[in-house]
């Protein structure tokens, strides 16, 4: 994600995420496991939003819960009162003082806090998801007690685009991003490359115009998201890929309104399976599919690695198609069996290296 950072695959993956059974209290999770009775305490500090945000907070916590449930560990999360470095450092310190020596933080906003924490708490271990520790100069410094994890968003966006193009077949697409930062940009560029592949190789006719690729500039302006979506739909766009947090929520809301009025428009979700966010009637949803990053898997793997003595401290890891770290939801009522089958074939080509998706803009829009 950042220039110069080496991308390494996680050495061992441990299967798909199951329902977690950890809890917020400082007590072991109830189910047993191979490391039953372990004294390891796994903590998490949340970013802005709630623990059930269907994004990084929820994904990280679910991964911790699954590992804690299987291995009978103590787990706990703390929610800061704000989103400054000082707010994050306070809660990291609170977890450390309570004996939590494996601490996970989701999101780039933790970068400077983890930079300081990895020196301040040398006998603790840290997992920073979607970020790399630095002092404020964006120069990564990943110490031996820290792991920095990134994802190949471009591959996830690519797969979502293939599914979208195959299902929609023809028409205009759009993209709404939040802040113009590397992970959001890579979603966008991957989506554009996927649309082009589907048009060239799979017989679809999807167009994406420059005016319909927009970064709103934040992740929390719901009203702006609804407005941007409305403008795109008014210009004839049929489907919008949103990588924009709360801005995307606004776009989903606008789409629900239009679909309820009989319009045939869609949203492509991001990070997690957003199908339920798009439900407008019964179990019908405006979310066609979602470009997913398996944050839950990353969190789970890091707990397992620590328990097994394989914590990859000092490394920067990239979860991609080869490590099953990205993809689209396994099931979605809005995708046909034929679409799912063809997306699977493309996914296999990504895994084998037959298809490569660029993580840079090149000649792409924005």
């Amino acid at each position: 994600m950042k220039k110069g950072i080496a991308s390494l695959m996680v050495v061992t993956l441990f299967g798909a995420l199951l329902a977690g059974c950890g809890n917020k209290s400082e007590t072991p999770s109830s189910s047993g496991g191979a490391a039953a009775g372990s004294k390891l305490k796994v903590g998490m500090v949340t970013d802005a939003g709630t623990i059930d945000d269907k994004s990084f907070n929820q994904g990280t916590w679910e991964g911790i819960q699954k590992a804690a449930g299987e291995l009978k560990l103590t787990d706990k999360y703390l929610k800061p009162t704000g989103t400054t470095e000082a707010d994050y450092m306070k809660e990291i310190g609170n977890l450390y003082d309570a004996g939590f020596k494996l601490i996970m933080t989701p999101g780039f906003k933790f970068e400077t806090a983890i930079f300081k924490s990895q020196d301040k708490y040398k006998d603790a271990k840290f997992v920073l998801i979607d970020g790399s520790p630095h002092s404020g100069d964006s120069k990564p410094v990943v110490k031996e007690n820290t792991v920095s994890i990134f994802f190949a968003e471009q591959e996830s966006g690519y797969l979502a685009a293939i599914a979208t193009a195959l299902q929609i077949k023809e028409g205009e697409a759009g993209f709404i991003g939040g802040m113009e930062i590397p992970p959001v940009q890579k979603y966008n560029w991957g989506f554009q490359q996927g649309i082009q592949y589907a048009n060239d190789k799979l017989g679809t006719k999807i167009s994406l115009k420059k005016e319909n690729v927009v970064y709103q500039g934040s992740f929390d302006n719901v009203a702006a998201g609804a407005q941007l979506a409305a403008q795109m739909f008014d210009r004839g766009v049929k489907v919008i890929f949103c990588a924009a947090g709360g801005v995307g929520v606004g776009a989903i809301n606008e789409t629900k309104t239009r679909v309820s009025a009989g319009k045939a428009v869609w949203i492509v979700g991001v990070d997690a399976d957003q199908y339920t966010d798009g439900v407008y009637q019964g179990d019908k949803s405006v979310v066609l599919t979602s470009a997913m990053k398996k944050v839950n898997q990353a969190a789970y793997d890091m707990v397992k690695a620590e328990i097994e003595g394989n914590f990859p401290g000092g490394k920067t890891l990239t979860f991609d198609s080869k490590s099953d770290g990205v993809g689209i939801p396994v099931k979605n009522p809005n995708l046909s069996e034929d679409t799912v089958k063809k997306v699977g074939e493309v996914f296999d080509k990504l895994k084998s290296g037959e298809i490569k998706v660029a993580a840079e803009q090149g000649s792409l829009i924005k």
Side-chain angles (χ1 to χ4, degrees):
M1 183 176 298
K2 295 180 187 296
K3 190 174 181 180
I5 294 179
S7 293
L8 300 174
M9 280 176 51
V10 176
V11 176
T12 308
L13 291 175
F14 303 95
L17 180 71
L18 301 177
C21 49
N23 52 58
K24 287 170 59 177
S25 63
E26 206 171 313
T27 56
S29 295
S30 57
S31 60
S38 170
K39 293 182 180 180
L40 179 66
K41 300 170 78 171
V42 186
M44 170 189 166
V45 180
T46 67
D47 195 0
T50 61
I51 201 65
D52 57 354
D53 63 358
K54 297 177 182 175
S55 187
F56 273 31
N57 285 330
Q58 182 171 338
T60 303
W61 181 236
E62 286 179 347
I64 291 172
Q65 283 188 301
K66 181 194 174 188
E70 288 184 3
L71 304 173
K72 207 168 182 64
L73 309 177
T74 299
D75 57 6
K76 183 176 185 177
Y77 73 85
L78 295 178
K79 180 175 173 57
T81 56
T83 57
T84 67
E85 177 188 291
D87 294 322
Y88 295 144
M89 289 291 294
K90 177 182 177 182
E91 301 306 341
I92 289 171
N94 285 337
L95 284 172
Y96 179 85
D97 290 343
F100 288 82
K101 296 300 179 68
L102 178 57
I103 299 173
M104 299 197 188
T105 55
F108 70 95
K109 291 182 180 179
F110 286 93
E111 290 177 331
T112 59
I114 295 301
F115 175 82
K116 293 182 177 179
S117 296
Q118 63 187 355
D119 281 332
K120 185 174 182 179
Y121 308 111
K122 293 183 181 295
D123 62 334
K125 293 182 179 178
F126 300 94
V127 177
L128 175 54
I129 297 176
D130 238 25
S132 191
H134 62 82
S135 63
D137 58 4
S138 296
K139 296 179 180 179
V141 180
V142 184
K143 297 292 182 71
E144 289 302 310
N145 59 339
T146 300
V147 176
S148 179
I149 293 178
F150 292 101
F151 296 85
E153 291 93 352
Q154 70 277 9
E155 293 185 353
S156 184
Y158 189 91
L159 291 167
I162 298 295
T164 298
L166 286 169
Q167 199 63 37
I168 299 297
K169 293 184 173 55
E170 62 180 75
E172 291 189 33
F175 172 83
I176 297 176
M179 296 174 66
E180 199 166 348
I181 57 176
V184 178
Q185 292 172 309
K186 290 197 296 180
Y187 272 131
N188 171 22
W189 298 332
F191 190 75
Q192 291 183 52
Q193 291 172 78
I195 292 295
Q196 189 61 53
Y197 179 90
N199 287 344
D200 291 344
K201 305 290 187 180
L202 302 175
T204 65
K205 297 179 180 179
I206 304 295
S207 62
L208 196 152
K209 299 176 181 176
K210 186 175 181 179
E211 65 184 357
N212 293 323
V213 177
V214 178
Y215 293 92
Q216 193 278 324
S218 77
F219 291 111
D220 57 6
N221 194 330
V222 176
Q227 183 178 31
L228 287 172
Q231 292 169 351
M232 287 189 189
F233 289 142
D234 287 345
R235 288 195 291 265
V237 168
K238 292 176 65 175
V239 58
I240 302 173
F241 177 27
C242 295
V247 176
V249 171
I252 290 173
N253 291 341
E254 175 64 22
T255 309
K256 289 181 184 179
T257 298
R258 300 222 171 193
V259 171
S260 296
K263 304 295 183 180
V265 290
W266 299 94
I267 288 288
V268 174
V270 75
D271 288 343
D273 184 356
Q274 291 195 293
Y275 184 87
T276 58
D277 295 341
V279 170
Y280 62 95
Q281 180 183 3
D283 60 354
K284 295 181 180 179
S285 174
V286 301
V287 174
L288 187 65
T289 188
S290 298
M292 295 174 60
K293 295 195 283 194
K294 299 181 182 179
V295 178
N296 44 21
Q297 188 68 51
Y300 174 86
D301 285 356
M302 291 303 99
V303 179
K304 288 275 285 186
E306 171 62 6
I307 285 292
E308 296 175 354
N310 297 317
F311 187 77
K315 294 183 178 180
T316 296
L317 309 176
T318 297
F319 276 62
D320 58 11
S321 58
K322 292 180 176 63
S323 57
D324 291 320
V326 297
I328 65 172
V330 175
K331 296 181 180 180
N332 189 315
N334 289 327
L335 298 182
S336 69
E337 290 184 9
D338 184 59
T339 293
V340 172
K341 178 184 176 182
K342 289 179 179 177
V343 172
E345 292 170 354
V346 172
F347 182 75
D348 289 341
K349 291 180 180 180
L350 280 176
K351 292 190 73 168
S352 70
E354 181 179 341
I355 292 176
K356 298 184 185 301
V357 185
E360 297 79 31
Q361 179 181 0
S363 60
L364 301 167
I365 301 171
K366 287 275 189 178

